[in-house]
Amino acid sequence: MSLNEYRGVWVFAEQNDGRLRRVSLELLGKGRELADRLRVDLVAILLGEDAGKLCTELIDYGADKVLWADDPELRCYRTDTYTKIIASQIMEHKPEILLVGATYVGRDLAPRIARRLGTGLSADCTSLDIDEETRLLQQTCPAFGGNLMVTILTPKERPQMATVQPGVMQPLQKSTRKGEIISIPADIEHKDMRVSRLRVIEETRRGIGLEQAERIVSGGMGIGSVENFKMLGKLAELLGAEVGATRNAVEAGWASSDRMIGQTGKTVRPTLYIACGISGAIQHIVGMKDSELTIAISKDPKAPIFQIADYGIVADLHQLIPLLIQELLRYKGAR
Amino acid sequence: MNIIVCLKQVPGTNDVRLDPETGSLIREGVPSIINPEDRNALEKALLLREEHGGNVVVISMGPPQAEVALRDALAIGADEAILLCDKAFAGADTLATSFTLGSAIKKLGHFDLVLCGTKTLDGNTGQVGPQLAELLDLPQITYARRVEIQGEILKAERVFEEGYELMETRLPALVTVTREINEPRIPSIDQIMQSYREKEVKTWGAAYLGLYEHSVGLDGSATKMSKIYKPEFGKGKVEFIEGSMEDMAQGLLAKLKERNLI
Ligand SMILES: Cc1cc2nc3c(=O)[nH]c(=O)nc-3n(C[C@H](O)[C@H](O)[C@H](O)COP(=O)(O)OP(=O)(O)OC[C@H]3O[C@@H](n4cnc5c(N)ncnc54)[C@H](O)[C@@H]3O)c2cc1C
Ligand SMILES: Cc1cc2nc3c(=O)[nH]c(=O)nc-3n(C[C@H](O)[C@H](O)[C@H](O)COP(=O)(O)OP(=O)(O)OC[C@H]3O[C@@H](n4cnc5c(N)ncnc54)[C@H](O)[C@@H]3O)c2cc1C
């Protein structure tokens, strides 16, 4: 393989129901930086029907070019159709990097593409860097529940592929930019339709996803019961925040699994994170350490969560939370 | 129905160390378990066998001690166990792992279903299932929390961001399962003893599979670990809000007001 033939940074632009997933915009933000440092184009590859608007959006968020396959059969993600189109575009255009969001689609798709191309793939990266000299992508991800960080390279194969955790990279400011939309063939055959989605069974998600939340009030085992967790929800509501939880709180049945933050759950970076009754295990911290302002409340002054907090309160939550709710209500009423 | 279950032995704790020279796991002194989701995969295979008849083969790539995991699987009820064990397999990334597993599955011949866990506790990439499906040219359904088979048709509920989706495909297929799918059974002492007395774990190496050393293990891998380090998170500048319960509540709100958060 002649590595020098491979140039350009590509981002898989994931659409769901005609809307771009936020992680794709985040990847364009990071991809822009990488492409500028490598002095190459940033290309988004989008599969979907009637997605002209999305193409423009991708350009506004930093793409120089958008490769777009337009076909009714691409509305809904299918492993086989998506793998085939993207892999054949890669073989034709030879990008040096392909970034994919670590979503349920991305994690299904990226390994299949990597295997077809015989190249390396790293999973759930939280940081990406480039060595401009060697053009090697340094792919860093947490390992062993966040106890260690591992940096992975793909020295001899191209493209260098990584899935990236949602919520970690920053999208650029949206602005009107110039870019090129290039249509690519879909070429879907009957044999690419081996798996069908019959229907969506239930929509569990209310409100916005935690990854997008600007404010999060999060609860751990210190909350103590499902009733108290509801009270935490009240506090969150008053603060305009979403509710998060530790894995243990989810396992206790106090919160649904889409609320879980950390290694097994979501990675978040809100402006405000209030950790209530959370000890601060490393597996939790990896998911919220980039919050702008962290406030921790625990009755144990030695809890590790205080090491990463900006403000700490050592108190019994059973007393403090009702008081906070009362004070907030009073404050809001007074205004 | 012939079902193949891919099963990996993993350290039973996150408190493991890596050899900084080779990037490989230091396994000494670390208790090993069957990767939890792989137990769910095995349980599903056994339930399908009870329903449809057939044969369950468990297969694992790993060091010699991974035989213990396969013995457990035999004790639980698997019909056959194959350990892919060779010095040349060491240091494999997911590309090389899927290649080795795929080569062995091709050697086994006819099968209807391959079941994997979604992710392991250690490598935790979730890449081996899809890569194996690609290699075997199978349709795949990942993150399945429910699987049903009727005739040639497999239906599975797949987890995704907005909820669950009902997927359908035709056998043969590959499915990766989550822990939600079932509650795995636990072998009795008798069954464990029987698995050692009466059952066999076959060991296959690179030569037996007809694989070149450069296509497996470290040499067959596309990724390399270049750095391993302890993460640093500590801001180390926490300011405690103290006083009576009321002081603390009001103190907290004052900080939020300062920053225009309320
Ligand atoms: C492979 C693996 C993956 C994991 N992934 C995740 C993950 O994604 N997310 C995650 O969160 N965890 C994860 N964990 C679990 C993690 O290791 C911790 O066990 C978990 O985060 C602890 O949850 P907690 O802080 O709610 O509970 P605890 O550790 O029990 O902490 C409770 C805290 O509340 C305080 N407290 C108790 N009562 C009160 C009270 N009345 N008032 C005030 N404070 C009180 C206690 O002093 C303590 O500080 C994972 C573990 C493993 C092994
Ligand atoms: C900290 C760390 C980080 C790593 N990062 C990467 C990376 O970014 N990219 C990469 O390519 N490799 C990576 N590896 C190497 C990778 O872990 C190995 O290739 C491993 O053999 C398989 O990957 P996994 O454990 O992630 O399995 P997963 O893909 O998470 O496993 C899914 C399922 O595949 C089956 N399976 C997996 N391994 C075996 C096996 N040996 N035998 C039988 N069935 C199996 C099981 O059913 C399992 O539940 C990493 C390893 C470590 C320790």
Side-chain angles (χ1 to χ4, degrees):
Chain A
M1 165 166 300
S2 164
L3 300 189
N4 286 330
E5 283 175 27
Y6 287 76
R7 285 292 181 267
V9 177
W10 282 24
V11 165
F12 167 62
E14 180 182 341
Q15 58 86 16
N16 175 56
D17 244 355
R19 292 178 50 197
L20 290 172
R21 288 244 186 247
R22 186 184 142 95
V23 65
S24 305
L25 306 180
E26 295 166 4
L27 292 184
L28 286 176
K30 189 66 193 183
R32 187 69 266 166
E33 177 206 321
L34 299 175
D36 289 344
R37 287 172 63 187
L38 290 168
R39 298 169 197 281
V40 294
D41 278 346
L42 175 64
V43 178
I45 182 162
L46 174 69
L47 281 57
E49 190 193 16
D50 292 334
K53 266 216 199 85
L54 302 188
C55 291
T56 317
E57 201 178 335
L58 291 166
I59 291 169
D60 291 347
Y61 276 100
D64 297 309
K65 289 182 189 160
V66 180
L67 303 179
W68 173 29
D70 183 11
D71 192 294
E73 286 300 341
L74 296 173
R75 259 189 80 80
C76 211
Y77 168 74
R78 266 201 171 101
T79 313
D80 289 336
T81 53
Y82 275 51
T83 304
K84 177 167 140 179
I85 295 170
I86 296 171
S88 76
Q89 287 298 315
I90 289 173
M91 286 187 249
E92 188 178 333
H93 299 288
K94 299 190 174 9
E96 61 203 295
I97 291 172
L98 172 64
L99 306 180
V100 177
T103 59
Y104 285 97
V105 163
R107 290 189 177 125
D108 187 271
L109 172 67
R112 194 108 195 188
I113 295 175
R115 179 72 255 179
R116 188 160 302 182
L117 300 170
T119 191
L121 173 64
S122 60
D124 297 325
C125 293
T126 52
S127 137
L128 295 172
D129 202 354
I130 199 94
D131 179 332
E132 284 149 44
E133 204 71 23
T134 59
R135 304 181 81 88
L136 285 180
L137 182 67
Q138 295 165 346
Q139 309 152 51
T140 300
C141 40
F144 301 106
N147 282 326
L148 293 169
M149 300 299 285
V150 179
T151 302
I152 286 167
L153 302 177
T154 303
K156 295 196 196 114
E157 309 295 337
R158 291 293 177 273
Q160 305 165 75
M161 286 183 59
T163 66
V164 180
Q165 285 190 16
V168 181
M169 307 297 173
Q170 292 290 344
L172 299 174
Q173 281 293 341
K174 186 174 182 176
S175 68
T176 312
R177 289 171 215 259
K178 278 212 167 41
E180 198 184 343
I181 300 171
I182 302 162
S183 116
I184 56 172
D187 282 339
I188 297 166
E189 297 166 80
H190 183 67
K191 67 174 168 57
D192 304 324
M193 322 269 270
R194 295 186 289 187
V195 183
S196 317
R197 168 153 122 173
L198 301 181
R199 62 177 197 279
V200 172
I201 296 169
E202 58 186 73
E203 307 263 347
T204 49
R205 175 74 56 82
R206 298 139 290 134
I208 56 165
L210 276 181
E211 296 100 324
Q212 268 122 290
E214 283 292 317
R215 300 168 181 197
I216 295 174
V217 173
S218 207
M221 292 311 285
I223 297 296
S225 68
V226 79
E227 291 74 28
N228 288 348
F229 228 89
K230 288 198 183 120
M231 192 159 30
L232 195 71
K234 177 76 188 162
L235 177 63
E237 198 187 306
L238 287 168
L239 290 168
E242 292 285 317
V243 176
T246 62
R247 189 175 81 166
N248 298 25
V250 168
E251 281 173 355
W254 301 343
S256 62
S257 59
D258 65 323
R259 299 284 115 187
M260 194 200 300
I261 292 168
Q263 166 77 9
T264 320
K266 305 236 155 88
T267 305
V268 299
R269 59 181 334 159
T271 32
L272 172 66
Y273 191 90
I274 306 186
C276 303
I278 293 177
S279 60
I282 190 114
Q283 294 87 352
H284 186 74
I285 288 177
V286 288
M288 49 64 68
K289 64 179 170 34
D290 292 327
S291 307
E292 231 164 82
L293 180 72
T294 302
I295 299 176
I297 309 170
S298 167
K299 67 176 187 192
D300 175 10
K302 291 208 192 71
I305 190 76
F306 289 127
Q307 286 167 24
I308 61 144
D310 299 284
Y311 297 110
I313 300 182
V314 179
D316 183 353
L317 284 159
H318 303 152
Q319 295 174 42
L320 189 64
I321 289 183
L323 209 53
L324 279 171
I325 292 176
Q326 190 191 331
E327 291 289 326
L328 267 170
L329 285 170
R330 184 178 303 162
Y331 176 74
K332 294 206 165 188
R335 269 198 319 167
Chain B
M1 177 160 320
N2 290 324
I3 305 172
I4 295 170
V5 178
C6 296
L7 181 150
K8 187 183 182 189
Q9 193 183 45
V10 297
T13 159
N14 265 331
D15 198 19
V16 294
R17 286 166 305 141
L18 295 166
D19 183 334
E21 300 273 295
T22 61
S24 58
L25 273 173
I26 301 174
R27 289 184 184 264
E28 283 86 58
V30 182
S32 292
I33 57 169
I34 296 180
N35 182 51
E37 285 179 346
D38 301 355
R39 297 182 63 115
N40 297 100
L42 175 58
E43 177 67 29
K44 186 68 214 176
L46 298 176
L47 292 172
L48 286 169
R49 186 186 63 188
E50 283 163 20
E51 194 181 333
H52 302 276
N55 196 40
V56 173
V57 182
V58 284
I59 180 162
S60 184
M61 184 187 89
Q65 58 268 31
E67 184 186 329
V68 176
L70 290 173
R71 289 277 171 202
D72 277 349
L74 288 171
I76 293 168
D79 299 293
E80 283 177 59
I82 295 161
L83 177 62
L84 307 175
C85 185
D86 196 309
K87 278 207 172 67
F89 295 157
D93 71 355
T94 61
L95 199 71
T97 300
S98 59
F99 178 68
T100 305
L101 287 172
S103 305
I105 291 175
K106 284 179 185 164
K107 183 129 198 144
L108 278 171
H110 175 76
F111 61 87
D112 302 287
L113 179 64
V114 181
L115 289 175
C116 292
T118 297
K119 279 186 168 199
T120 60
L121 283 186
D122 58 347
N124 201 235
T125 65
Q127 293 173 184
V128 171
Q131 296 198 322
L132 195 53
E134 170 66 19
L135 210 76
L136 298 170
D137 192 20
L138 293 174
Q140 76 189 36
I141 299 174
T142 51
Y143 295 96
R145 65 150 190 186
R146 230 181 121 144
V147 174
E148 269 168 34
I149 295 178
Q150 272 183 334
E152 296 283 285
I153 303 294
L154 180 147
K155 284 189 185 162
E157 282 179 25
R158 178 178 190 273
V159 184
F160 80 122
E161 281 82 357
E162 280 79 21
Y164 301 95
E165 42 191 11
L166 182 62
M167 314 298 290
E168 182 184 89
T169 192
R170 211 166 248 287
L171 297 178
L174 182 143
V175 177
T176 75
V177 306
T178 69
R179 291 181 77 170
E180 264 184 278
I181 194 168
N182 54 38
E183 195 58 55
R185 64 193 80 176
I186 297 163
S188 66
I189 305 284
D190 275 357
Q191 286 172 314
I192 293 175
M193 289 186 12
Q194 204 180 10
S195 81
Y196 280 87
R197 271 200 313 265
E198 294 166 21
K199 293 192 175 172
E200 177 200 9
V201 173
K202 292 186 196 126
T203 303
W204 295 357
Y208 182 80
L209 290 169
L211 302 178
Y212 296 110
E213 296 205 349
H214 63 72
S215 61
V216 296
L218 198 60
D219 288 349
S221 295
T223 59
K224 301 274 176 273
M225 280 191 200
S226 80
K227 210 166 61 181
I228 299 162
Y229 57 98
K230 278 255 168 220
E232 299 267 343
F233 298 128
K235 292 186 182 173
K237 55 172 173 65
V238 62
E239 176 187 332
F240 280 100
I241 302 169
E242 292 166 335
S244 68
M245 210 45 91
E246 285 74 20
D247 292 344
M248 291 192 282
Q250 281 162 7
L252 174 57
L253 294 195
K255 298 294 178 200
L256 295 178
K257 277 179 221 164
E258 245 170 52
R259 296 182 184 238
N260 257 337
L261 287 163
I262 50 173

